[in-house]
Amino acid sequence: RARVADVGFWWHSIDLGDGVVTPGAKSRAWLEGELARLELGDLHGKSVLDIGAYDGFYSFAAERLGAERVVAFDQYVWSADMPGYMRYRDERMAAGLAVEPVEALPEFWRPDELPGRRPFDLAHEALGSRVEVVVGDLLDYDLGKLGTFDVVLYLGVLYHVRHPLLALERLASVTRGTAIIETQAEVFRFSERLPLSRFIEGDELNHDPSNWWTFNAAALLSMCRAAGFERAEMQSRPGRGRRRASAMLRGSAPYRAVLRASKGGTAPT
């Protein structure tokens, strides 16, 4: 319990056993609900790559669901002093000032030390996990070292990258089965069938300067196909009536989208 408290900031609430649950910004109930919506099914005999693993909730969940091999892949979050940066962010927001990206602040950006990996490492140790750890950025890592995977999780990452189509092309190259993509999305008024995205220059989305894009469903599906996936389908989106009403009133309506993009074989059920 003392080591969990000493970490300072947890994004994921992870049950470490013996009544110890990490105090994540995302609650255990919320994460379990998200996991259920991904419909991963039985992963026995499967290989899983978790890109943007953060504290590792989904990596450890894939292991718990029977995956034969799980790789946790991250760099951005692991390179940052997240407790310090979150305090900085809160102070800037309270003062009505813009929030700078963490990589622009040397006091919080320490890729040689990987301070942001502390929560993952502690959970990995406490759980006695066999999850493999790879530090890297999807856009410039030598993906040949990773191989290909039956299931690739790309959760909460796509809208954080400057070059999303390139990211999806790289994602497709490590997927031999199904990629499950969760991202910030948006419905734009009168344009459900037209592929559209919105560029975000600053920190106007959730006071987070690492947010660069939102996409509508048509854009997400067409980008996946253009990136090299054979099939793509939306798995989760808000109700049509509520979504349309909000978009008509405000011009657009944000939501979190989940889609499955496949290359050969069949998706896990």
Side-chain angles (χ1 to χ4, degrees):
R1 293 179 190 275
R3 292 178 65 192
V4 166
D6 187 56
V7 164
F9 178 80
W10 289 84
W11 182 244
H12 291 154
S13 297
I14 302 171
D15 186 348
L16 301 182
D18 296 322
V20 179
V21 178
T22 64
K26 283 193 170 186
S27 72
R28 184 180 173 190
W30 181 275
L31 287 165
E32 291 294 347
E34 288 187 338
L35 180 63
R37 285 190 288 275
L38 296 182
E39 300 178 5
L40 294 180
D42 184 359
L43 293 177
H44 281 84
K46 302 283 187 179
S47 58
V48 177
L49 173 62
D50 182 12
I51 300 176
Y54 219 121
D55 296 344
F57 173 83
Y58 294 100
S59 300
F60 303 133
E63 183 177 45
R64 189 173 69 245
L65 291 169
E68 184 174 309
R69 181 193 182 201
V70 181
V71 175
F73 184 92
D74 208 325
Q75 182 181 51
Y76 185 83
V77 168
W78 290 350
S79 296
D81 170 7
M82 291 306 295
Y85 183 68
M86 295 308 290
R87 287 193 297 271
Y88 157 84
R89 179 175 176 266
D90 290 344
E91 291 169 1
R92 299 285 289 188
M93 289 170 56
L97 300 173
V99 178
E100 294 294 322
V102 66
E103 63 270 27
L105 303 168
E107 64 269 39
F108 304 125
W109 185 248
R110 304 203 299 272
D112 293 336
E113 302 173 28
L114 299 178
R117 213 179 90 176
R118 288 184 65 204
F120 177 92
D121 288 342
L122 176 52
H124 191 274
E125 177 190 344
L127 294 169
S129 173
R130 295 181 296 104
V131 168
E132 301 170 36
V133 181
V134 176
V135 179
D137 185 318
L138 178 64
L139 296 190
D140 60 19
Y141 189 78
D142 181 359
L143 298 180
K145 295 179 180 179
L146 287 177
T148 58
F149 295 79
D150 298 305
V151 179
V152 180
L153 304 178
Y154 197 49
L155 310 177
V157 181
L158 183 63
Y159 63 106
H160 288 295
V161 299
R162 290 171 179 259
H163 308 291
L165 182 57
L166 175 59
L168 289 173
E169 289 174 347
R170 303 274 288 175
L171 185 70
S173 73
V174 294
T175 304
R176 65 169 173 260
T178 298
I180 302 177
I181 303 160
E182 188 264 356
T183 184
Q184 185 70 28
E186 198 163 7
V187 174
F188 301 101
R189 184 164 49 195
F190 302 126
S191 60
E192 287 189 63
R193 297 183 180 180
L194 183 66
L196 292 176
S197 62
R198 177 165 66 93
F199 178 72
I200 302 166
E201 182 179 2
D203 68 346
E204 56 265 35
L205 178 59
N206 300 328
H207 299 282
D208 185 347
S210 72
N211 294 330
W212 290 102
W213 302 92
T214 64
F215 317 86
N216 69 359
L220 288 168
L221 295 173
S222 59
M223 287 169 67
C224 284
R225 292 190 295 267
F229 289 101
E230 296 171 16
R231 298 176 301 280
E233 61 179 0
M234 300 300 296
Q235 182 173 317
S236 174
R237 48 177 139 185
R240 179 176 293 271
R242 178 169 60 86
R243 187 174 73 250
R244 279 182 171 175
S246 182
M248 288 294 290
L249 179 64
R250 302 177 182 177
S252 67
Y255 69 99
R256 301 291 285 198
V258 177
L259 61 151
R260 302 170 84 87
S262 302
K263 287 179 65 182
T266 57
T269 58

